[in-house]
Amino acid sequence: MKGQPSISPIYREGAPAAPPDPIDAWGRVEALRRRAWRDAGVISVRPDELPEPLAGLLRQWAEEHYGSG
């Protein structure tokens, strides 16, 4: 209407999508880990999957090079 403020187009977006299924997210990460190994010879592990002191040393190295996570 003339003289009325316009309505934001954000309201046309609809309801937000449902949160992702954690099992689907885990499956995607695992697929990426396998592909990294097969295609590039890169091993991807979380520090909690490693024995100490290796986990602590790698965590320290990553924080020094990439920042804290």
Side-chain angles (χ1 to χ4, degrees):
M1 294 175 108
K2 197 170 189 164
Q4 296 285 334
S6 62
I7 296 174
S8 171
I10 192 72
Y11 294 106
R12 283 181 263 219
E13 298 294 321
D21 181 14
I23 298 297
D24 287 340
W26 176 83
R28 283 192 298 277
V29 169
E30 289 300 309
L32 289 170
R33 291 167 84 169
R34 286 190 297 273
R35 190 175 318 134
W37 171 247
R38 284 192 317 262
D39 296 351
V42 173
I43 297 173
S44 173
V45 295
R46 293 189 340 250
D48 63 346
E49 296 173 328
L50 297 170
E52 287 297 337
L54 181 59
L57 293 170
L58 285 176
R59 188 178 293 111
Q60 180 182 354
W61 180 88
E63 287 176 356
E64 289 173 7
H65 286 84
Y66 305 126
S68 61

